[in-house]
Amino acid sequence: MPRTPRSTSGSPALPRVLRTLSSNTAEREAAGGTGVKPARDPAREDGSRLASARPLPDARTLEEGPPPEPVRVPNVAPAATGPRAPDTLPKGKKTSKRKKDEPPADRAICAIPDLPIVLPPPAAADGATRARKARRRGRHILWILPLGFLLLAGVLFGVRACGFRYRSLADLTSAAGAPAVDPPRGGDAGKGGPPTIEKLEREGSRLTAALGDKVPKGTYLVIDQTHNRLYLRKHKETLLEAVCSAGGGVVLIESGGGNRKWVFDTPRGQFKVLNKIENPVWKKPDWAFLEEGEPIPKDPNERFEYGMLGEYALYFGNGYMIHGTLYERLLGRSVTHGCIRLGRDDLRKVWEACPIGTPIYIY
Amino acid sequence: MARFATALCFALLLCLPAAAAPGGAASAAGDPQRRSALERKNDALRKELELAQGNAFYLVVDPSARMLRLMLKGVVLQGYTLSRLAVGIPSAPLHRSAPPDLAGFLAADGSLDPPRERDRFELVVGPGSASDSLPEVPVPPPAEEVYRIPVRFWIRFSGGVAVEIRSRLSEHTSFKQALFDRIWEPLKASFEDLSNRDRDPVRLLLELTRDDAASLYRVLPPDTKLLILPSE
């Protein structure tokens, strides 16, 4: 769809071709669409313009009608005498392709008299220009992409080269990879000579045995309070993996005169089963009443609550226990006040497997 | 870039004789080599025993077994299989510094970077608060949903030693996630390394599965110690 020509002077819109033929600038623009670049024409500068002297066709005729008549360009002076045409050509000229057996455009203008120049309709000229620009852009992209890739690769290489240099840890910690033999250590150093290999081996065995003694001989409990898992282990074997509930980390602050604060975390570290209680009774502490919005009772008997802790409880110090729960649906979530809650069946297995003194490791 | 390439070639040339040397030296050394290995092993055992007698949690890196163990009092609480163990030092294109000997290396005061953030629910109550006016304590989500686990994180110890934990892609990772992890994360890591050059004079790189790395991030107790065992 051709664009509607508009006059910049506010006069009724003139056909583009008309404007093209009436000014040098516009003429160059129109000629550019044909693939033949207009050379500077001294004859035209003198005012003898054949093209402009001809009656101009109607804009509609040019744009929508049959192909326009050829417009004759007057003979021009030879290149040697006149201003040299290529000097005035736009740069794009050098890259445009010529047909076979066709003389260079500048020469064609100079050598062939009355060279017919067909001025195409403006829409066609615009399309050709656009196509040429697109081709040129495509060619640019062909260059830009690999160059950009190379640049990026270079930057990445530089960044990595300036970062950290890694070597395998196994190589660096092996005796072969060690920079030098360590000086002799221990009591043998004072005796003058390095320790014998037998002595070193004996010492190694002693240290290994001492380390082995640190691992409990019987069953022990390992509790992962983050993932709410309890493991019953014997040596390196896991006898039971159970879902439990650990402390929720809630902070309870008593307002008013008391200003006491409780943090419901499960402690980390090593503990031992200090006491085993069947059918435990919960003696509710102050925070339990505060949490429920109840007044703290003065009668100690009002603190006892039955059945809340399940069938069994394994007490491991500071008021913390491994016990049962009425709310088994919350197992696996950190919801307790610091104790470890277990399901009914798992609690029974732990109760049976763990005598008083069983180590508990909580992390 | 040409400088970097030259520096890289130069570094590679320098590495060649160094890489070839240990094999020959080992065969020639004989007993001193074995004595040295035993001494290093005993030294590490002594340190491990010392840690087992303390009350702190500690991490033991075992290059021979390719394992990272979280321990307390000589008991393995959790073990993680390592797919990669490496020591990183800031690279200098024209200066070749010797990597440190890390056998029996002991570090203390390990803390997570970025730190684990925990939102604690605070409940303020008075003795006379009515039970219906108290806010209800929400049921927390499972541990897997509480923390956002970074693809790589550090455990920084006193003395400028850092353990970098990287997640390895699991088999069930989506294509989009895999693409993100293989291209974007290494790129980001490289740029981060540039800014951390001065911060980490020695860096231990440990690669775990994504689940293990996430688990370690969630459970690591504060002020953990680190021991690196010699490899056999």
PDB file of all heavy atoms in Angstrom, chain B residues 33-49:
ATOM      1  N   GLN B  33      58.882 -42.473  52.763  1.00  0.00           N
ATOM      2  CA  GLN B  33      57.539 -42.150  52.269  1.00  0.00           C
ATOM      3  C   GLN B  33      56.476 -42.787  53.161  1.00  0.00           C
ATOM      4  O   GLN B  33      55.506 -42.146  53.550  1.00  0.00           O
ATOM      5  CB  GLN B  33      57.413 -42.691  50.831  1.00  0.00           C
ATOM      6  CG  GLN B  33      56.160 -42.237  50.121  1.00  0.00           C
ATOM      7  CD  GLN B  33      56.251 -40.787  49.711  1.00  0.00           C
ATOM      8  OE1 GLN B  33      57.204 -40.388  49.079  1.00  0.00           O
ATOM      9  NE2 GLN B  33      55.263 -40.017  50.098  1.00  0.00           N
ATOM     10  N   ARG B  34      56.686 -44.020  53.501  1.00  0.00           N
ATOM     11  CA  ARG B  34      55.724 -44.750  54.348  1.00  0.00           C
ATOM     12  C   ARG B  34      55.706 -44.148  55.755  1.00  0.00           C
ATOM     13  O   ARG B  34      54.653 -44.007  56.366  1.00  0.00           O
ATOM     14  CB  ARG B  34      56.135 -46.224  54.401  1.00  0.00           C
ATOM     15  CG  ARG B  34      55.209 -47.074  55.248  1.00  0.00           C
ATOM     16  CD  ARG B  34      55.353 -48.548  54.925  1.00  0.00           C
ATOM     17  NE  ARG B  34      54.780 -49.389  55.975  1.00  0.00           N
ATOM     18  CZ  ARG B  34      53.487 -49.505  56.222  1.00  0.00           C
ATOM     19  NH1 ARG B  34      52.622 -48.828  55.506  1.00  0.00           N
ATOM     20  NH2 ARG B  34      53.050 -50.296  57.192  1.00  0.00           N
ATOM     21  N   ARG B  35      56.892 -43.818  56.245  1.00  0.00           N
ATOM     22  CA  ARG B  35      56.965 -43.211  57.579  1.00  0.00           C
ATOM     23  C   ARG B  35      56.197 -41.889  57.587  1.00  0.00           C
ATOM     24  O   ARG B  35      55.439 -41.605  58.513  1.00  0.00           O
ATOM     25  CB  ARG B  35      58.424 -42.987  57.972  1.00  0.00           C
ATOM     26  CG  ARG B  35      58.555 -42.466  59.405  1.00  0.00           C
ATOM     27  CD  ARG B  35      59.981 -42.166  59.787  1.00  0.00           C
ATOM     28  NE  ARG B  35      60.786 -43.369  59.816  1.00  0.00           N
ATOM     29  CZ  ARG B  35      61.874 -43.558  59.078  1.00  0.00           C
ATOM     30  NH1 ARG B  35      62.261 -42.619  58.231  1.00  0.00           N
ATOM     31  NH2 ARG B  35      62.561 -44.660  59.180  1.00  0.00           N
ATOM     32  N   SER B  36      56.419 -41.144  56.538  1.00  0.00           N
ATOM     33  CA  SER B  36      55.729 -39.856  56.434  1.00  0.00           C
ATOM     34  C   SER B  36      54.220 -40.051  56.415  1.00  0.00           C
ATOM     35  O   SER B  36      53.472 -39.348  57.109  1.00  0.00           O
ATOM     36  CB  SER B  36      56.195 -39.140  55.165  1.00  0.00           C
ATOM     37  OG  SER B  36      55.333 -38.080  54.878  1.00  0.00           O
ATOM     38  N   ALA B  37      53.768 -41.046  55.670  1.00  0.00           N
ATOM     39  CA  ALA B  37      52.322 -41.314  55.579  1.00  0.00           C
ATOM     40  C   ALA B  37      51.763 -41.708  56.935  1.00  0.00           C
ATOM     41  O   ALA B  37      50.691 -41.253  57.345  1.00  0.00           O
ATOM     42  CB  ALA B  37      52.064 -42.407  54.557  1.00  0.00           C
ATOM     43  N   LEU B  38      52.520 -42.547  57.660  1.00  0.00           N
ATOM     44  CA  LEU B  38      52.050 -42.986  58.982  1.00  0.00           C
ATOM     45  C   LEU B  38      52.008 -41.816  59.965  1.00  0.00           C
ATOM     46  O   LEU B  38      51.084 -41.702  60.770  1.00  0.00           O
ATOM     47  CB  LEU B  38      52.976 -44.083  59.521  1.00  0.00           C
ATOM     48  CG  LEU B  38      52.738 -45.482  58.951  1.00  0.00           C
ATOM     49  CD1 LEU B  38      53.850 -46.425  59.377  1.00  0.00           C
ATOM     50  CD2 LEU B  38      51.390 -46.021  59.419  1.00  0.00           C
ATOM     51  N   GLU B  39      53.004 -40.984  59.885  1.00  0.00           N
ATOM     52  CA  GLU B  39      53.033 -39.824  60.780  1.00  0.00           C
ATOM     53  C   GLU B  39      51.849 -38.905  60.523  1.00  0.00           C
ATOM     54  O   GLU B  39      51.220 -38.405  61.453  1.00  0.00           O
ATOM     55  CB  GLU B  39      54.347 -39.064  60.600  1.00  0.00           C
ATOM     56  CG  GLU B  39      55.500 -39.690  61.347  1.00  0.00           C
ATOM     57  CD  GLU B  39      56.789 -38.925  61.155  1.00  0.00           C
ATOM     58  OE1 GLU B  39      56.850 -38.084  60.224  1.00  0.00           O
ATOM     59  OE2 GLU B  39      57.729 -39.158  61.928  1.00  0.00           O
ATOM     60  N   ARG B  40      51.580 -38.700  59.278  1.00  0.00           N
ATOM     61  CA  ARG B  40      50.458 -37.844  58.914  1.00  0.00           C
ATOM     62  C   ARG B  40      49.138 -38.462  59.362  1.00  0.00           C
ATOM     63  O   ARG B  40      48.248 -37.769  59.862  1.00  0.00           O
ATOM     64  CB  ARG B  40      50.437 -37.617  57.395  1.00  0.00           C
ATOM     65  CG  ARG B  40      51.566 -36.744  56.902  1.00  0.00           C
ATOM     66  CD  ARG B  40      51.919 -37.056  55.473  1.00  0.00           C
ATOM     67  NE  ARG B  40      50.833 -36.714  54.567  1.00  0.00           N
ATOM     68  CZ  ARG B  40      50.636 -35.500  54.068  1.00  0.00           C
ATOM     69  NH1 ARG B  40      51.458 -34.524  54.379  1.00  0.00           N
ATOM     70  NH2 ARG B  40      49.640 -35.250  53.264  1.00  0.00           N
ATOM     71  N   LYS B  41      49.037 -39.764  59.229  1.00  0.00           N
ATOM     72  CA  LYS B  41      47.806 -40.445  59.635  1.00  0.00           C
ATOM     73  C   LYS B  41      47.633 -40.358  61.156  1.00  0.00           C
ATOM     74  O   LYS B  41      46.538 -40.056  61.657  1.00  0.00           O
ATOM     75  CB  LYS B  41      47.881 -41.912  59.185  1.00  0.00           C
ATOM     76  CG  LYS B  41      46.612 -42.687  59.405  1.00  0.00           C
ATOM     77  CD  LYS B  41      46.821 -44.141  59.058  1.00  0.00           C
ATOM     78  CE  LYS B  41      45.670 -44.984  59.591  1.00  0.00           C
ATOM     79  NZ  LYS B  41      45.961 -46.411  59.514  1.00  0.00           N
ATOM     80  N   ASN B  42      48.714 -40.616  61.878  1.00  0.00           N
ATOM     81  CA  ASN B  42      48.630 -40.564  63.336  1.00  0.00           C
ATOM     82  C   ASN B  42      48.313 -39.156  63.820  1.00  0.00           C
ATOM     83  O   ASN B  42      47.564 -38.976  64.791  1.00  0.00           O
ATOM     84  CB  ASN B  42      49.946 -41.045  63.961  1.00  0.00           C
ATOM     85  CG  ASN B  42      50.116 -42.546  63.792  1.00  0.00           C
ATOM     86  OD1 ASN B  42      49.199 -43.225  63.326  1.00  0.00           O
ATOM     87  ND2 ASN B  42      51.277 -43.061  64.154  1.00  0.00           N
ATOM     88  N   ASP B  43      48.887 -38.205  63.151  1.00  0.00           N
ATOM     89  CA  ASP B  43      48.629 -36.804  63.518  1.00  0.00           C
ATOM     90  C   ASP B  43      47.140 -36.488  63.352  1.00  0.00           C
ATOM     91  O   ASP B  43      46.512 -35.876  64.226  1.00  0.00           O
ATOM     92  CB  ASP B  43      49.480 -35.903  62.616  1.00  0.00           C
ATOM     93  CG  ASP B  43      49.324 -34.450  62.978  1.00  0.00           C
ATOM     94  OD1 ASP B  43      49.338 -34.151  64.189  1.00  0.00           O
ATOM     95  OD2 ASP B  43      49.157 -33.614  62.065  1.00  0.00           O
ATOM     96  N   ALA B  44      46.579 -36.947  62.250  1.00  0.00           N
ATOM     97  CA  ALA B  44      45.147 -36.703  62.011  1.00  0.00           C
ATOM     98  C   ALA B  44      44.294 -37.465  63.021  1.00  0.00           C
ATOM     99  O   ALA B  44      43.288 -36.941  63.518  1.00  0.00           O
ATOM    100  CB  ALA B  44      44.797 -37.132  60.594  1.00  0.00           C
ATOM    101  N   LEU B  45      44.714 -38.686  63.359  1.00  0.00           N
ATOM    102  CA  LEU B  45      43.953 -39.475  64.348  1.00  0.00           C
ATOM    103  C   LEU B  45      43.978 -38.787  65.713  1.00  0.00           C
ATOM    104  O   LEU B  45      42.971 -38.755  66.424  1.00  0.00           O
ATOM    105  CB  LEU B  45      44.553 -40.880  64.465  1.00  0.00           C
ATOM    106  CG  LEU B  45      44.193 -41.872  63.368  1.00  0.00           C
ATOM    107  CD1 LEU B  45      45.016 -43.151  63.505  1.00  0.00           C
ATOM    108  CD2 LEU B  45      42.705 -42.219  63.428  1.00  0.00           C
ATOM    109  N   ARG B  46      45.135 -38.257  66.048  1.00  0.00           N
ATOM    110  CA  ARG B  46      45.273 -37.540  67.329  1.00  0.00           C
ATOM    111  C   ARG B  46      44.301 -36.358  67.369  1.00  0.00           C
ATOM    112  O   ARG B  46      43.629 -36.127  68.372  1.00  0.00           O
ATOM    113  CB  ARG B  46      46.712 -37.046  67.463  1.00  0.00           C
ATOM    114  CG  ARG B  46      47.351 -37.425  68.797  1.00  0.00           C
ATOM    115  CD  ARG B  46      48.802 -37.040  68.834  1.00  0.00           C
ATOM    116  NE  ARG B  46      49.647 -38.094  68.306  1.00  0.00           N
ATOM    117  CZ  ARG B  46      50.523 -37.951  67.311  1.00  0.00           C
ATOM    118  NH1 ARG B  46      50.665 -36.796  66.711  1.00  0.00           N
ATOM    119  NH2 ARG B  46      51.240 -38.969  66.900  1.00  0.00           N
ATOM    120  N   LYS B  47      44.250 -35.649  66.278  1.00  0.00           N
ATOM    121  CA  LYS B  47      43.345 -34.487  66.220  1.00  0.00           C
ATOM    122  C   LYS B  47      41.880 -34.934  66.274  1.00  0.00           C
ATOM    123  O   LYS B  47      41.048 -34.279  66.891  1.00  0.00           O
ATOM    124  CB  LYS B  47      43.609 -33.687  64.942  1.00  0.00           C
ATOM    125  CG  LYS B  47      44.896 -32.891  65.024  1.00  0.00           C
ATOM    126  CD  LYS B  47      45.192 -32.200  63.722  1.00  0.00           C
ATOM    127  CE  LYS B  47      46.475 -31.401  63.834  1.00  0.00           C
ATOM    128  NZ  LYS B  47      46.956 -30.946  62.528  1.00  0.00           N
ATOM    129  N   GLU B  48      41.598 -36.032  65.613  1.00  0.00           N
ATOM    130  CA  GLU B  48      40.223 -36.521  65.615  1.00  0.00           C
ATOM    131  C   GLU B  48      39.809 -36.965  67.018  1.00  0.00           C
ATOM    132  O   GLU B  48      38.680 -36.727  67.455  1.00  0.00           O
ATOM    133  CB  GLU B  48      40.089 -37.675  64.618  1.00  0.00           C
ATOM    134  CG  GLU B  48      38.640 -37.998  64.321  1.00  0.00           C
ATOM    135  CD  GLU B  48      38.461 -39.063  63.245  1.00  0.00           C
ATOM    136  OE1 GLU B  48      39.445 -39.443  62.606  1.00  0.00           O
ATOM    137  OE2 GLU B  48      37.309 -39.492  63.078  1.00  0.00           O
ATOM    138  N   LEU B  49      40.748 -37.576  67.717  1.00  0.00           N
ATOM    139  CA  LEU B  49      40.464 -38.010  69.091  1.00  0.00           C
ATOM    140  C   LEU B  49      40.211 -36.797  69.983  1.00  0.00           C
ATOM    141  O   LEU B  49      39.312 -36.803  70.829  1.00  0.00           O
ATOM    142  CB  LEU B  49      41.643 -38.835  69.611  1.00  0.00           C
ATOM    143  CG  LEU B  49      41.449 -39.549  70.937  1.00  0.00           C
ATOM    144  CD1 LEU B  49      40.302 -40.551  70.842  1.00  0.00           C
ATOM    145  CD2 LEU B  49      42.719 -40.278  71.368  1.00  0.00           C
TER     146      LEU B  49
END
